[in-house]
Amino acid sequence: MTFEQWLISVGKSPKSSKNYSQAVFSSINKWAKEAKLLSEDIANIQSVCEISSLFEKLKNLEEFIKFNNQGKGMYSAALKQYINYMDDISGHSINEDISSIISEETLKETEKTLLISARIGQGQFRKDLISYWQGCSLTGFSNARFLVASHIKPWRSCSNKERLDVDNGLLLLPNYDKAFDLGYISFDDDGKILISNQLEGLTDLGISTSQSFKIKEGNRPYLEFHRENVFESFS
C-alpha cells in the first residue's frame, strides 16, 4: 500500500492525500538532501526511527520552517502522517524494537521482559494502566478486555524509562486509541479533547467535541509532546 493509498484509507480526501504525498517525496525530500540530512531518497528509508530523527532535524531547518509556516503546518503534518504510515504498515517495526531490546547489553533480563511486554501492549505496563485509570481514560468504560494500552509519547520517541512510565499511558477504547495514535485527536492540559480538522466522521467514530477527562499531573509533559509532535492541527 502506498502512502497516498494509506492516507485515503485512514480518512483523507484524495486531494489531501496527493498533497501530503507530494510534500514528503518532493519538497521535504529535496530540502533534506540539500541540507545533507539525507544521502538517499526518503522513500528508501525503512526505519521509523530514522524518519522520526529526520523530522527532529528538519524542524530546525530554515527552509522547512519558512514553507511550513506558509503552508500553515502542512509539511510537518505530512511528515507526521508518513511516520504513522510507516509504523502502521511495517510489521517488522515491532520486531525491530524487540530485537533492539534483546541486544541491549546494559539491560537486565527482567528489564528486557518488561520493555518487550510494554512494546506489544501487554504485561505490567498494561496492568498498571488498568489500575491507574480504572477503565477507559476518556469514557470510563470498564471492561478491560476491550481497552488498549496506549503510549502518549510514542514508543519510538521514548527513553526506556518513559516506555514503562504509567504517566505516559492512556487506556482507550480502540476507536479513540487509533485516532490518538494517528494524531487525529489529542488533549489539552485540562483534559479537553482536541480534534484535528482533518478528521471526518466524528459521529460514526463516537467522538464528540465536548469530551474531556481528568488528567493526572504526570500526564501533562507527555500530552504536551503529543500535541506538538503527533497531533495534526493545521487549516
Side-chain angles (χ1 to χ4, degrees), residues 72-135:
K72 298 181 179 179
M74 193 274 281
Y75 292 98
S76 60
L79 199 47
K80 289 176 188 177
Q81 287 300 330
Y82 188 62
I83 292 170
N84 287 330
Y85 158 72
M86 290 189 64
D87 216 12
D88 201 26
I89 70 165
S90 299
H92 65 274
S93 64
I94 292 179
N95 293 332
E96 285 181 343
D97 288 338
I98 291 174
S99 295
S100 178
I101 293 168
I102 292 172
S103 63
E104 179 54 65
E105 295 180 356
T106 63
L107 293 174
K108 298 178 181 178
E109 289 303 315
T110 52
E111 293 173 318
K112 291 180 180 181
T113 299
L114 287 172
L115 286 166
I116 290 170
S117 296
R119 181 64 182 102
I120 60 178
Q122 301 297 328
Q124 192 60 48
F125 181 71
R126 176 179 169 79
K127 291 178 182 177
D128 289 344
L129 287 182
I130 292 172
S131 175
Y132 189 75
W133 290 108
Q134 299 291 310

Side-chain angles (χ1 to χ4, degrees), residues 12 183-185 194-200 231-234:
K12 295 291 183 190
Y184 284 120
I185 64 172
L194 304 172
I195 301 175
S196 168
N197 56 10
Q198 298 298 301
L199 180 61
E200 300 176 356
F231 182 54
E232 184 178 349
S233 57
F234 78 101

Side-chain angles (χ1 to χ4, degrees), residues 111 114-115 117-119 122 124-130 132-133 149-155 158-171 216-223:
E111 293 173 318
L114 287 172
L115 286 166
S117 296
R119 181 64 182 102
Q122 301 297 328
Q124 192 60 48
F125 181 71
R126 176 179 169 79
K127 291 178 182 177
D128 289 344
L129 287 182
I130 292 172
Y132 189 75
W133 290 108
S150 180
H151 283 86
I152 300 172
K153 182 178 181 179
W155 176 277
C158 289
S159 66
N160 284 336
K161 181 180 179 180
E162 291 172 330
R163 288 167 177 166
L164 299 175
D165 186 359
V166 70
D167 284 324
N168 187 27
L170 296 178
L171 200 61
K216 319 278 187 179
E217 186 62 34
N219 301 146
R220 294 182 189 277
Y222 293 117
L223 285 172

